[in-house]
């Protein structure tokens, strides 16, 4: 029987042999595709792909299954339809097939493969045909008129490893040639060529939409901004190049943001992880990294069986959920680093142990230190391309800087989390002073600050804004001093809430909670973060020394 072509649609039908055990009727113009029928489990209904119980050659693991058509009640069990995406092959007339007595020719250069169709519901593939050309078990032969012509789909499986290899080579090319030297001497970051200085500072398309001359920006203003930025870079380099860094000057410069390529050096200095005298830094890094490696070796000496299973179980759950959708955090090498960082910190701080949310706080440090060794966005690479010693340095530096940060807010994570309870209560009192209508509306709708602000304090707003926005915000936090992550953050959260005051006062309880759980900050740039920090600075200047407005002391 000659195959009848199906109706025109994005996914075109192909009438091969009936080696799949389900059958459907002729296609109608109202035929539908069941996009939810991806499961190939034998336990599914007849609308799924039911393969023969005999073993079949498996396709490469990278192959994707084709869309499945929705079957109708079978009227002719001798035919079946296999859907292949964007491929339409019309079977030639029966007389064009070779007889069984003739040798089956090898696949032609144009990518077509001759396959013999057997009786029943199977196909037999010639020995010269690759097993994955046509899936299905071997069957016994039947007649000449049932042979089918299949398009060779092998190319789609060959391209995948080639593409993966090309991507790996591209990632490897992004690793700086002097990565090992930077790991031992961060001052080499100051000697990066001038064209690379501009790489990390050049805004991305979404960050530059308000700066483009095509958007009405006067050329004079753009020149002034570029001149101002170049002047700031010069001041940073001059400050960090001194034999003994002036911390007051560094904090003053860092408040308005740190150039990306200098952040891996400036953050450890602001946190106190690196000493201010230049001559002591290399030895300090070597000692601290060695200490961390000793902690890891000792902690994991007995494998997972020797770990605190309750803590480790929670870490194993949280790590894969960290920054979902970001390529960097989907790689196993990144996740293993994060697991070690979190577990070693937890056992070193038994008063708090591991608490959900700490995993988020480690991500800015890892990305900042990783950026020192690559010439591309660290969110787009696989850290396993780095030399093992360099990746170990990134992990160790992230651990010690995370420890420094958490030392100032550890009461946020001990039993009952009193630090967060205190901060949320103070935030409610502050908002009542600076935006009384909003405070009254929230109270009238029965909205409690703990219902949304708890996460803001626990994760330092990292669930509300991107890592890049967080990194810019932390530049200012670190310049404010060791208490900024608890004290200054209170004013940032208050300004953050008041920013949405007009919208919130027009919502009911459900709308308020849903809005605050999914705030429209996806397109925020440094400009929005700097405006938020400026508003928080004003609030801090007005209210920080007037503690009488806080009823809880």
């Amino acid at each position: 029987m000659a195959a009848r072509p199906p109706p025109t649609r994005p996914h075109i039908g192909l009438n091969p042999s009936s080696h799949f055990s389900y059958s459907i009727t002729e296609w109608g113009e109202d035929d539908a595709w069941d996009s939810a029928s991806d499961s190939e489990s034998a336990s599914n209904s007849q609308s799924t792909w039911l393969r023969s119980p005999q073993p079949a050659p498996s396709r490469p693991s990278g192959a994707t299954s084709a869309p499945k058509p929705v079957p109708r009640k079978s009227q002719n069990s001798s035919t079946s339809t296999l859907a292949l995406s964007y491929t339409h092959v019309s079977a030639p007339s029966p007389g064009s097939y070779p007889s069984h007595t003739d040798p089956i020719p090898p696949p032609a250069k144009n990518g077509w493969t001759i396959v013999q169709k057997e009786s029943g519901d199977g196909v037999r593939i010639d020995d010269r045909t690759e097993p994955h050309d046509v899936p299905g078990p071997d069957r016994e032969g039947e007649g000449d008129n049932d042979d089918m012509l299949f398009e060779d789909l092998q190319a789609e499986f060959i391209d995948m490893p080639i593409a993966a290899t090309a991507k790996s080579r591209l990632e490897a090319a992004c690793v700086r040639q002097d990565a090992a030297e930077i790991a031992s001497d961060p001052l080499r970051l100051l000697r990066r060529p001038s064209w690379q200085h501009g790489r990390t500072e050049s805004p991305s398309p979404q960050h530059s939409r308000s700066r483009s001359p095509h958007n009405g920006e006067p050329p004079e203003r753009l020149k002034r901004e570029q001149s101002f930025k170049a002047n700031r870079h010069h001041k940073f380099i001059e400050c960090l190049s001194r034999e003994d860094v002036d911390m007051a000057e560094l904090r003053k410069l860092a408040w308005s943001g740190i150039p990306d390529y200098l952040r891996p050096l400036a953050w450890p200095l602001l946190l106190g992880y690196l000493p201010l005298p230049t001559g002591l830094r290399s030895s300090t890094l070597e000692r601290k990294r060695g200490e961390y490696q000793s902690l890891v070796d000792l902690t994991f000496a007995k494998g997972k069986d020797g770990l605190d299973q309750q803590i480790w179980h929670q870490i194993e759950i949280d790590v894969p959920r960290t920054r979902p959708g970001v390529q960097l955090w989907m790689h196993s090498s990144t996740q293993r680093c994060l697991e070690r960082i979190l577990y070693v910190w937890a056992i070193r701080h038994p008063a708090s142990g591991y608490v959900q949310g700490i995993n988020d706080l480690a991500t800015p440090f890892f990305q900042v230190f990783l950026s020192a060794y690559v010439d591309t966005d660290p969110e787009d690479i696989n850290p396993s391309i780095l030399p093992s010693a360099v990746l170990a340095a990134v992990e160790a530096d992230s651990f010690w800087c995370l420890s420094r940060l958490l030392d100032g807010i550890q009461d946020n994570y001990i039993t009952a989390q009193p630090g967060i309870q205190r901060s949320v209560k103070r935030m409610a009192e502050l908002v009542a002073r600076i935006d009384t209508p909003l405070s009254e509306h929230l109270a009238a709708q029965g909205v409690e600050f703990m219902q949304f602000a708890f996460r803001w304090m626990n994760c330092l707003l990292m669930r509300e804004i991107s890592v890049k926005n967080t990194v810019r915000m932390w530049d200012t936090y670190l310049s404010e001093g060791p208490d900024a992550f608890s004290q200054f953050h209170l004013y940032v959260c208050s300004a953050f809430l008041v920013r949405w005051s007009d919208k919130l006062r027009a919502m009911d309880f459900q709308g308020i909670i849903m809005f605050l759980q999914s705030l429209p900050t996806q397109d925020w740039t440094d400009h929005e973060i700097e405006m938020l920090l400026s508003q928080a600075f004003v609030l801090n200047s007005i209210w920080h020394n007037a503690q009488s407005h806080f009823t809880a002391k």
Side-chain angles (χ1 to χ4, degrees):
M1 164 178 175
R4 186 170 73 89
T8 302
R9 50 172 52 88
H11 295 285
I12 308 301
L14 168 66
N15 283 345
S17 67
S18 57
H19 64 278
F20 289 92
S21 61
Y22 80 96
S23 62
I24 63 176
T25 62
E26 300 289 342
W27 286 99
E29 289 302 324
D30 59 345
D31 289 337
W33 292 98
D34 182 9
S35 61
S37 61
D38 289 341
S39 174
E40 298 184 3
S41 172
S43 63
N44 292 347
S45 65
Q46 292 184 356
S47 63
T48 60
W49 294 86
L50 299 178
R51 296 186 182 270
S52 171
Q54 298 185 18
S58 60
R59 286 180 177 266
S61 60
T64 57
S65 62
K68 285 93 177 161
V70 178
R72 296 184 179 182
K73 185 176 180 180
S74 176
Q75 295 178 353
N76 182 4
S77 61
S78 65
T79 61
S80 63
T81 300
L82 172 65
L84 290 177
S85 300
Y86 303 100
T87 304
H88 176 60
V89 178
S90 298
S93 62
S96 64
Y97 296 116
S99 65
H100 284 295
T101 58
D102 299 332
I104 299 178
K109 294 183 180 180
N110 59 4
W112 293 92
T113 301
I114 297 295
V115 182
Q116 296 177 349
K117 180 181 176 183
E118 303 297 349
S119 60
D121 57 352
V123 296
R124 179 169 57 82
I125 306 174
D126 180 65
D127 293 339
R128 287 167 294 183
T129 306
E130 292 296 328
H132 59 264
D133 287 337
V134 181
D138 294 342
R139 302 292 184 183
E140 295 181 357
E142 187 183 329
D144 297 346
N145 294 337
D146 289 318
D147 291 344
M148 296 298 298
L149 186 64
F150 279 85
E151 183 178 1
D152 190 351
L153 301 180
Q154 185 177 6
E156 67 175 291
F157 307 116
I158 295 178
D159 288 341
M160 294 182 64
I162 293 177
T165 302
K167 182 177 180 181
S168 299
R169 291 176 178 174
L170 181 62
E171 288 181 337
C174 295
V175 179
R176 293 193 56 178
Q177 296 181 354
D178 57 348
E181 289 78 5
I182 293 174
S184 59
D185 182 13
L187 275 178
R188 291 186 65 92
L189 292 170
L190 305 182
R191 297 191 286 272
R192 175 172 289 190
S194 58
W195 66 269
Q196 289 183 334
H197 289 173
R199 172 191 61 79
T200 52
E201 287 302 293
S202 58
S204 62
Q206 71 172 21
H207 285 65
S208 61
R209 62 182 183 273
S210 63
R211 301 180 184 180
S212 173
H214 302 289
N215 291 336
E217 283 284 358
E220 297 79 7
R221 182 175 179 180
L222 292 176
K223 291 180 180 179
R224 287 197 301 268
E225 288 182 358
Q226 293 173 357
S227 177
F228 175 76
K229 184 180 297 185
N231 186 45
R232 289 191 71 248
H233 285 208
H234 177 74
K235 289 182 178 179
F236 264 107
I237 293 175
E238 182 180 359
C239 177
L240 295 172
S241 300
R242 294 174 182 168
E243 290 295 327
D244 195 350
V245 174
D246 185 342
M247 179 59 72
E249 182 181 358
L250 179 58
R251 285 179 174 172
K252 182 179 179 180
L253 291 170
W255 206 101
S256 299
I258 303 172
D260 292 347
Y261 70 99
L262 295 177
R263 196 172 280 122
L265 174 58
W267 272 22
L269 291 171
L270 291 167
L271 280 164
Y273 172 50
L274 282 182
L276 298 180
T278 303
L280 300 178
R281 292 175 193 166
S282 295
S283 59
T284 300
L285 284 174
E286 183 179 0
R287 175 173 56 83
K288 298 297 287 185
R289 290 167 180 171
E291 288 179 8
Y292 173 73
Q293 187 59 48
S294 298
L295 289 171
V296 171
D297 294 341
L298 180 62
T299 302
F300 294 90
K302 298 181 180 180
K304 292 184 179 180
D305 295 336
L307 306 179
D308 184 310
Q309 294 304 312
Q310 183 177 2
I311 296 176
W312 182 252
H313 176 70
Q314 189 60 55
I315 290 175
E316 280 192 315
I317 292 175
D318 288 351
V319 165
R321 300 174 179 174
T322 303
R323 312 309 299 179
V326 178
Q327 181 178 345
L328 170 64
W329 298 100
M330 297 170 65
H331 292 296
S332 60
S333 56
T334 316
Q335 295 181 0
R336 300 296 83 76
C337 289
L338 185 57
E339 287 173 352
R340 291 189 290 267
I341 290 171
L342 297 176
Y343 187 81
V344 172
W345 186 89
I347 62 173
R348 282 172 54 88
H349 298 82
S352 60
Y354 172 74
V355 178
Q356 287 180 300
I358 297 179
N359 57 312
D360 290 315
L361 305 185
T363 59
F365 292 117
F366 194 90
Q367 288 188 203
V368 165
F369 292 124
L370 182 61
S371 68
Y373 307 105
V374 296
D375 284 325
T376 187
D377 188 341
E379 289 189 349
D380 297 333
I381 70 166
N382 185 346
S384 62
I385 64 176
L386 294 173
S388 58
V390 173
L391 183 56
V394 172
E395 180 180 337
D397 294 345
S398 301
F399 169 80
W400 289 116
C401 287
L402 176 66
S403 299
R404 291 275 182 169
L405 183 153
L406 293 176
D407 286 346
I409 55 174
Q410 191 170 355
D411 60 345
N412 285 4
Y413 305 107
I414 62 178
T415 304
Q417 298 179 281
I420 293 179
Q421 302 281 349
R422 180 172 58 253
S423 296
V424 171
K425 187 173 183 179
R426 289 193 170 189
M427 177 183 170
E429 296 168 355
L430 180 60
V431 171
R433 296 296 185 100
I434 63 179
D435 194 338
T436 303
L438 174 59
S439 178
E440 292 177 348
H441 179 73
L442 295 178
Q445 294 298 322
V447 178
E448 298 181 2
F449 275 69
M450 191 63 68
Q451 293 172 322
F452 61 88
F454 180 89
R455 188 173 74 177
W456 295 6
M457 302 295 177
N458 187 65
C459 302
L460 300 180
L461 288 177
M462 287 200 62
R463 302 285 178 88
E464 281 62 46
I465 59 178
S466 67
V467 173
K468 293 180 180 179
N469 292 154
T470 300
V471 167
R472 170 60 193 91
M473 183 181 290
W474 285 14
D475 287 345
T476 300
Y477 280 22
L478 293 173
S479 67
E480 281 285 324
D483 296 331
F485 289 90
S486 57
Q487 298 298 324
F488 189 72
H489 184 66
L490 165 66
Y491 297 98
V492 171
C493 290
S494 300
F496 190 63
L497 177 64
V498 171
R499 179 187 181 93
W500 317 102
S501 179
D502 292 340
K503 293 183 178 180
L504 293 172
R505 283 189 279 117
M507 299 178 180
D508 59 6
F509 174 86
Q510 183 177 1
I512 292 171
I513 296 300
M514 293 181 64
F515 180 77
L516 292 177
Q517 287 179 346
S518 183
L519 290 164
T521 59
Q522 297 85 355
D523 296 329
W524 273 29
T525 65
D526 286 354
H527 174 72
E528 286 79 11
I529 294 298
E530 288 165 0
M531 291 298 297
L532 179 64
L533 293 170
S534 298
Q535 295 165 0
F537 177 80
V538 172
L539 294 176
N540 183 45
S541 301
I542 296 173
W543 299 102
H544 182 63
N545 293 323
Q547 292 296 315
S548 59
H549 75 283
F550 291 133
T551 58
K553 299 182 180 179

